[in-house]
């Protein structure tokens, strides 16, 4: 099992390094090579797209080989039906199952030589800088087309990411359909949550004791908690923060959500038996639930499923 510190670092980087981002990024716009090109229409190549780093990236033809450097990009690409075109993914990619069969190109440090050897027509990078700007420049210098996808921090920016990858790969229509299905599902969840009369107070743990981190304002997780009509008890703080346990106890959450059960044995039991928390409502009522970290942190197609997971955990009587 990897050391806790390394796992926490990977988790926070995958989320998008939100601890360092106090403000939302502007929506990333893309520019096609035809002013008549509309949403849902087939991409006309060559196409030029303004990526998340404000670079004009020209894609000469529909990519036949794609390398993805981060799980969220990979999940989007698979959801757009690009499984056969994907030839390389990061070490952290575990969804869908087919991703495990692809060549691995590294994790926090990408294997430049390996990526080049795969001869991709398109490399899908990410604005969280998880793989470093120097490595991306090496790929460009080798003649590869690198498209940096935005570090989505809200639902609209997830939709932008999907639209950008759809346009780059010639899958505009599928991207539009995917976005629509996500919007419809999110609207359904919001409508049901809107009927809730008494908000529950929620505390989210993204790492176990003794180094307990939680999610504050200007994070995607905080936005998700708001969507389900619940109150994040740490929303008065910024980004991803190490908690003051005494202060969290005073705020007395009704529900505690953990996201680290995939690498910590008995995550829920550890919280339920935590010394000093005996009088917290969530502990007394055994309302401690572990959710799938990937579904609530990866800014891809499954993020709406993650919202539903949170809704079922916090309001099981409403979201059965």
């Amino acid at each position: 099992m990897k050391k806790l510190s390394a796992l926490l670092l990977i988790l926070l980087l995958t989320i998008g390094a939100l601890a360092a981002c106090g403000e939302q990024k502007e929506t990333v716009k893309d520019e096609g090579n035809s002013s008549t090109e509309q949403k849902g229409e087939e991409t006309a190549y060559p196409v030029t797209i303004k990526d998340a780093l404000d670079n004009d990236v020209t894609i000469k033809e529909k990519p036949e080989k794609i390398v993805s450097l981060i799980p969220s990009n990979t999940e989007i690409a698979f959801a757009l039906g690009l499984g056969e075109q994907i030839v390389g993914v990061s070490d952290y990619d575990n969804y869908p199952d087919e991703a495990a069969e692809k060549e691995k190109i590294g994790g926090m440090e990408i294997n430049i030589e390996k990526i080049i050897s795969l001869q991709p027509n398109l490399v899908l990078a990410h604005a969280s800088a998880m793989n470093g700007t120097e490595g991306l420049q090496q790929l460009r210098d080798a003649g590869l087309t690198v498209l940096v996808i935005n570090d989505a921090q809200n639902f609209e920016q997830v939709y932008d990411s999907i639209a950008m990858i759809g346009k780059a790969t010639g899958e505009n229509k599928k991207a539009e359909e995917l976005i629509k299905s996500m919007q419809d599902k999110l609207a359904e969840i919001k409508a049901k949550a809107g009927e809730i009369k008494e908000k529950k107070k929620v505390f989210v743990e993204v790492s176990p004791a003794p180094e307990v981190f939680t999610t504050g304002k200007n994070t995607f997780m905080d936005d998700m908690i708001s969507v389900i009509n619940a109150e994040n008890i740490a929303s008065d703080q910024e980004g991803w923060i190490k908690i003051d346990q005494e202060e969290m106890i005073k705020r007395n959450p009704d529900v505690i959500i953990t996201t680290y059960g995939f690498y910590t044995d008995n995550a829920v039991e550890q919280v339920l038996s935590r010394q000093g928390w005996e009088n917290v409502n969530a502990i007394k009522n055994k309302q401690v639930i572990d959710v799938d970290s990937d579904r609530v942190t990866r800014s891809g197609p499954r993020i709406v499923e993650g919202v539903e997971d949170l809704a079922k955990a916090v309001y099981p009587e409403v979201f059965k």
Side-chain angles (χ1 to χ4, degrees), residues 62-78:
K62 184 176 173 66
E64 296 180 354
K65 292 183 179 181
I66 300 169
V67 166
S68 172
L69 305 186
I70 195 168
S72 57
N73 288 348
T74 302
E75 293 197 18
I76 292 172
F78 269 100

Side-chain angles (χ1 to χ4, degrees), residues 148-166:
V148 180
I149 307 302
N150 65 328
D151 180 15
Q153 296 173 32
N154 56 50
F155 294 102
E156 289 302 321
Q157 291 176 5
V158 173
Y159 304 148
D160 288 343
S161 297
I162 294 170
M164 181 180 287
I165 293 176

Side-chain angles (χ1 to χ4, degrees), residues 10 13-14 68-78 89-96 99 106 124 126 130-131 294 298-302:
I10 291 169
L13 284 171
T14 304
S68 172
L69 305 186
I70 195 168
S72 57
N73 288 348
T74 302
E75 293 197 18
I76 292 172
F78 269 100
V89 299
S90 83
D91 293 348
Y92 310 126
D93 286 54
N94 57 5
Y95 187 89
L124 296 175
H126 197 258
M130 183 174 178
N131 306 112
D294 294 344
R298 288 185 182 172
S299 51
R302 292 193 295 162

Side-chain angles (χ1 to χ4, degrees), residues 14-27:
T14 304
I15 290 171
L18 296 180
C21 301
E23 298 180 355
Q24 298 291 340
K25 294 183 182 177
E26 292 183 1
T27 298

